[in-house]
């Protein structure tokens, strides 16, 4: 079904209203814009699959009513960007949600497993990838484009049923609660310009004053990209921002000496960027940003990882899962080396089931001992065994 007018979308919404769940996906373009340009919306149930064309359908409210219905589960695969688009269009996040990529890890699939791999494993079908990099804004769509888009939701139906059944049988469905709550939280999609400096790489050599400048100029870039609706890098690249923070240029002539700045900005932008540098230089000491506390370097990383792995094995045995499902050796090595930011062990269900405890082990708050011939976890302060 191809939905291309107001009457058709109302009829489709009426048909799927009352469903237990819907699968949903989007196709969008973002290469030349800050905000995603929505080009297609695909929706499916057990009985029907449809493409809604937002480039010709003026009023998407009938679909939004379905997305707001808390009696209908919205099933997506790696749905963060899709939910971000709906949050901007609707002013709220569709809920409740079920992300099959997140759920698949708990069902024994690799972390961040692709949709095509899931389709092949669960249904036996091999998806045609020839339209992966198509221009979804061009009309008319070809038959292969339409088929490709529909496949992104029609196979989500058996994938969802299979994953949900497995997780219910294994008693792990509630493990996903924190992950899905994060996906449903509007704050997940609300960008705070003053926090964007944390996304910049290779800034560990900057002092706190320089970090203050980085914070204000990165916030300036974010707002400038939003205002002009262009990618951040088209305003100023990350490397140039770091160099601006390091040098703190006081006027346009100094600013233009920094590579990647002078050729991108006009005089008005030069002035506003210098003003952002000045704001960073004038921040009071208590307002300057700082990195989180650094963990003490451990000389014997391998030994520490072995200890962490032993803790993981204890919990894996309790939960009756394979240890690598809780934490891989590579993930443990990165955490032991102090790479806390964006560690998958400190997100969602992993955080509550093993991540928090691993941090306690690294901080010396718990330790491992032998009780009756078996490894046991001991709270250092209390000496209480678990």
């Amino acid at each position: 079904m191809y939905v291309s007018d107001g009457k058709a979308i109302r009829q489709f919404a009426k048909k799927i209203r009352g469903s237990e769940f819907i699968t949903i996906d989007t196709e969008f373009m973002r290469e030349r814009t800050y905000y995603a340009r929505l080009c297609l919306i695909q929706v499916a149930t057990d009985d029907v699959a449809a493409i809604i064309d937002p480039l010709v359908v003026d009023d998407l409210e009938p679909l939004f009513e379905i997305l707001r219905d808390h009696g209908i589960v919205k099933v997506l695969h790696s749905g963060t960007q899709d939910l971000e688009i709906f949050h901007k269009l609707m002013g709220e996040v569709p809920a409740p949600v079920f992300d099959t990529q997140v759920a698949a890890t708990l069902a024994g699939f690799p972390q961040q497993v692709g949709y095509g791999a899931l389709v092949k494993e669960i249904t036996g079908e091999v998806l045609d990838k020839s339209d992966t990099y198509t221009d979804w804004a061009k009309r008319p769509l070809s038959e292969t484009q339409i088929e490709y888009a529909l496949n992104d939701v029609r196979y989500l139906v058996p994938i969802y049923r299979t994953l949900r059944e497995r997780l219910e049988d294994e008693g792990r469905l509630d493990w996903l609660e924190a992950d899905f709550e994060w996906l449903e939280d509007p704050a997940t999609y609300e960008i705070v310009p003053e926090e964007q400096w944390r996304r910049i790489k290779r800034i560990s050599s900057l002092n706190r004053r320089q970090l203050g400048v980085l914070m204000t100029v990165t916030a300036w870039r974010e707002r400038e990209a939003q205002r002009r609706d262009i990618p951040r890098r088209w305003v100023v690249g990350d490397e140039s921002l770091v160099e601006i923070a390091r040098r703190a240029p006081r006027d346009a002539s100094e600013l233009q000496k920094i590579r990647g700045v002078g050729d991108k900005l006009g005089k008005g932008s030069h002035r506003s960027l210098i003003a952002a540098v000045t704001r960073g230089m004038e921040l009071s000491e208590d307002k300057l940003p700082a990195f989180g506390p650094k963990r003490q370097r451990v000389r014997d990383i391998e030994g520490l990882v072995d200890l962490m792995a032993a803790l993981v094995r204890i919990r894996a045995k309790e939960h009756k899962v394979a240890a690598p499902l809780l934490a891989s050796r590579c993930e443990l090595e990165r955490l032991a080396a102090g790479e806390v930011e964006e560690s998958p062990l400190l997100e969602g269900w992993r955080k509550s089931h093993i991540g928090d405890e691993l941090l306690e082990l690294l901080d010396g708050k718990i330790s491992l001992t032998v009780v009756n011939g078996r490894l046991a976890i001991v709270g250092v302060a209390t000496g209480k065994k678990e």
Side-chain angles (χ1 to χ4, degrees):
M1 178 185 292
Y2 192 88
V3 176
S4 58
D5 58 52
K7 181 179 179 182
I9 194 172
R10 289 191 295 272
Q11 290 176 338
F12 177 66
K14 183 178 180 180
K15 184 175 295 188
I16 64 174
R17 187 173 291 116
S19 299
E20 175 190 348
F21 69 91
I22 62 171
T23 62
I24 189 162
D25 188 40
T26 66
E27 305 297 343
F28 55 88
M29 305 291 287
R30 201 173 202 165
E31 289 80 3
R32 296 177 175 272
T33 59
Y34 179 91
Y35 298 106
R37 184 187 182 193
L38 182 61
C39 299
L40 286 181
I41 305 171
Q42 306 99 281
V43 180
T45 67
D46 281 316
D47 305 315
V48 62
I51 288 177
I52 300 170
D53 191 339
L55 300 185
V56 295
V57 177
D58 295 328
D59 185 8
L60 296 173
E61 186 58 30
L63 174 65
F64 293 164
E65 290 178 3
I66 300 295
L67 297 182
R68 294 188 188 102
D69 188 340
H70 281 247
I72 301 175
V73 177
K74 291 80 185 176
V75 181
L76 309 96
H77 182 85
S78 185
T80 308
Q81 292 188 83
D82 306 300
L83 294 170
E84 178 188 2
I85 290 172
F86 288 121
H87 174 250
K88 186 173 186 298
L89 292 175
M90 299 166 52
E92 57 187 292
V93 184
V97 300
F98 185 101
D99 193 308
T100 54
Q101 187 179 70
V102 177
T105 304
L106 270 180
F109 291 90
Q111 190 176 349
Q112 296 185 334
V113 62
Y115 178 65
L118 266 185
V119 170
K120 183 178 180 181
E121 180 68 24
I122 291 178
T123 73
E125 297 288 338
V126 178
L127 297 182
D128 181 359
K129 294 293 186 180
S130 59
D131 285 300
T132 300
Y133 297 105
T134 194
D135 184 348
W136 293 105
K138 286 187 176 181
R139 296 293 184 271
L141 296 173
S142 68
E143 290 185 7
T144 60
Q145 284 178 307
I146 291 174
E147 187 69 10
Y148 175 96
L150 286 173
N151 284 343
D152 278 348
V153 288
R154 58 165 54 119
Y155 292 114
L156 266 181
V157 174
I159 287 173
Y160 168 68
R161 290 197 178 282
T162 299
L163 292 179
R164 188 178 184 95
E165 182 178 349
R166 286 188 189 180
L167 295 177
E168 285 178 338
D169 289 346
E170 294 165 359
R172 300 180 198 167
L173 190 59
D174 60 344
W175 289 25
L176 296 170
E177 184 176 342
D179 296 81
F180 294 166
E181 284 180 352
W182 182 83
L183 287 171
E184 296 164 6
D185 186 353
T188 300
Y189 311 98
E190 293 168 358
I191 294 175
V192 180
E194 282 71 22
E195 290 294 317
Q196 296 308 298
W197 68 273
R198 300 180 186 277
R199 301 176 57 177
I200 308 295
K201 306 297 184 183
R202 294 184 290 277
I203 61 174
S204 58
S205 63
L206 299 182
N207 60 39
R208 287 193 67 204
R209 178 57 60 187
Q210 291 168 333
L211 285 178
V213 175
L214 181 68
M215 180 179 72
T216 55
V217 297
T218 305
W220 169 85
R221 181 184 69 169
E222 197 72 23
R223 293 189 173 95
E224 188 73 4
Q226 291 173 344
R227 182 182 69 83
R228 296 164 60 186
D229 193 20
I230 60 174
R232 298 176 183 91
R233 67 184 184 279
W234 287 17
V235 180
V236 179
D238 286 4
E239 298 84 357
S240 298
L241 285 180
V242 174
E243 196 59 26
I244 290 170
R246 196 185 311 278
R247 298 192 196 182
R250 293 167 293 181
D251 54 41
S253 64
E254 291 184 7
L255 184 63
Q256 289 177 323
K257 293 176 183 177
I258 298 174
R259 192 171 73 176
V261 178
D263 57 341
K264 289 188 174 184
L265 301 176
K267 291 182 179 179
S269 295
H270 280 158
R271 287 192 294 270
S272 60
L273 178 50
I274 289 296
V277 173
T278 302
R279 287 195 297 275
M281 293 298 292
E282 294 177 348
L283 286 172
S284 60
E285 287 291 326
D286 62 312
K287 295 294 177 60
L288 291 176
F291 297 112
K294 293 184 178 180
R295 295 189 173 277
Q296 184 176 0
R297 281 193 169 274
V298 178
R299 293 180 180 179
D300 184 11
I301 286 288
E302 286 300 310
L304 179 56
V305 173
D306 288 340
L307 188 64
M308 296 166 72
L311 172 59
V312 171
R313 286 194 294 272
I314 292 174
R315 293 309 185 207
K317 186 175 181 180
E318 289 178 0
H319 294 303
K320 299 180 180 179
V321 300
L325 178 63
L326 290 182
S328 69
R329 181 84 181 183
C330 180
E331 290 165 342
L332 293 177
E333 289 173 351
R334 291 178 60 188
L335 193 62
E339 297 181 30
V340 176
E341 293 293 328
E342 299 182 2
S343 170
L345 300 179
L346 303 179
E347 298 175 355
W349 63 269
R350 280 191 172 88
K351 183 177 187 298
S352 58
H353 282 76
I354 194 65
D356 288 337
E357 229 171 15
L358 286 171
L359 290 182
E360 289 181 343
L361 182 66
L362 291 173
D363 289 337
K365 296 179 180 178
I366 60 174
S367 64
L368 301 183
T369 189
V370 177
V371 177
N372 297 326
R374 294 183 179 182
L375 277 177
I377 302 167
V378 178
V380 173
T382 63
K384 183 179 178 181
K385 299 179 179 62
E386 300 182 20

